[in-house]
Amino acid sequence: MLVKRVCRITVIGGALALLAGCAASGGVEEEAVGGYFARDLPGMPADPRMSPVDNPILEARGLHNPPPTVIRRALLAQHERWAGTPYRLGGSSFRGIDCSALVQNVFSDTFRFDLPRTTEEQVRAGLEVERDALRPGDLVFFRPPGAYRHVGIYVGEGRFLHASTSRGVMISELDNRYWQRHFWQARRTLEPTLLVRRLGETGEG
């Protein structure tokens, strides 16, 4: 009788321990899930919420990748934010934006770095770099026909982010015949390591 009672107590105790373990793990899981969806993709509307793992800006702040990779991912996230925004001379919002305003917005939002507003002023920022030495985050300038100059941000692998007059915000190839013909110069406003440091300084808010 005593043996049966001890066995029954042991079984009940084990069951309670298992239930307590499930409740504890469930609480941890709920907390983890809550944290997983607790942050927004920078610049996006309130939804969809993304995990820090899926968010390139937040991943960039972890500094786990080489600086060019970190910057490239952050710039591609900005492309997703602005893609399809129409071109509008003098514009600086999602209703319409011009090339220099896009560059200014991206640098301010991503790197907390204030660039001048116009292409004419931006082309005097930083130091000139050779085209074959471009790194993600460098500014690329063009002199197409007409009165206006054009600027974009190099994202790596021969591509740059810009506000096209015909197609709005997009990513284009430097080796495209048109852009190759009208390439003017490139400028490096900050070294990649400093851009990454600024990503880290922005915090998560």
Side-chain angles (χ1 to χ4, degrees):
M1 206 50 193
L2 181 60
V3 174
K4 286 183 179 179
R5 182 176 298 174
V6 170
C7 289
R8 185 178 300 167
I9 291 172
T10 302
V11 170
I12 292 173
L16 289 173
L18 285 173
L19 287 173
C22 290
S25 65
V28 171
E29 184 175 339
E30 286 174 11
E31 184 179 346
V33 170
Y36 187 92
F37 294 100
R39 297 179 177 89
D40 296 332
L41 179 65
M44 294 290 284
D47 291 313
R49 291 181 178 271
M50 297 184 68
S51 81
V53 175
D54 294 331
N55 189 319
I57 302 289
L58 294 180
E59 179 188 5
R61 293 168 186 161
L63 309 186
H64 297 307
N65 296 318
T69 304
V70 172
I71 296 168
R72 181 172 186 270
R73 286 178 58 83
L75 292 173
L76 290 177
Q78 287 288 0
H79 170 251
E80 289 185 12
R81 177 189 179 198
W82 287 94
T85 300
Y87 180 91
R88 183 165 67 87
L89 184 62
S92 59
S93 71
F94 290 104
R95 293 190 300 273
I97 194 165
D98 63 28
C99 61
S100 58
L102 175 69
V103 168
Q104 185 187 51
N105 270 278
V106 168
F107 263 71
S108 175
D109 187 52
T110 307
F111 306 117
R112 302 300 190 266
F113 184 74
D114 295 325
L115 283 173
R117 171 63 178 85
T118 67
T119 306
E120 288 74 14
E121 294 171 315
Q122 290 174 1
V123 78
R124 294 193 292 269
L127 300 174
E128 187 171 359
V129 293
E130 296 297 323
R131 178 172 167 165
D132 58 5
L134 284 171
R135 297 176 185 172
D138 289 344
L139 304 184
V140 286
F141 295 87
F142 305 86
R143 285 193 289 201
Y148 297 104
R149 301 295 178 247
H150 192 67
V151 62
I153 307 171
Y154 187 69
V155 298
E157 297 184 1
R159 294 175 171 84
F160 66 102
L161 170 65
H162 66 126
S164 162
T165 56
S166 59
R167 297 175 58 186
V169 177
M170 62 181 295
I171 288 178
S172 297
E173 294 187 8
L174 277 175
D175 287 340
N176 172 281
R177 188 163 54 182
Y178 178 86
W179 296 116
Q180 194 172 41
R181 184 188 311 132
H182 298 297
F183 182 82
W184 178 18
Q185 62 174 289
R187 312 285 296 188
R188 182 166 299 152
T189 57
L190 284 177
E191 287 296 321
T193 50
L194 293 178
L195 291 178
V196 170
R197 188 179 304 165
R198 285 180 174 271
L199 277 170
E201 289 171 354
T202 57
E204 295 186 5

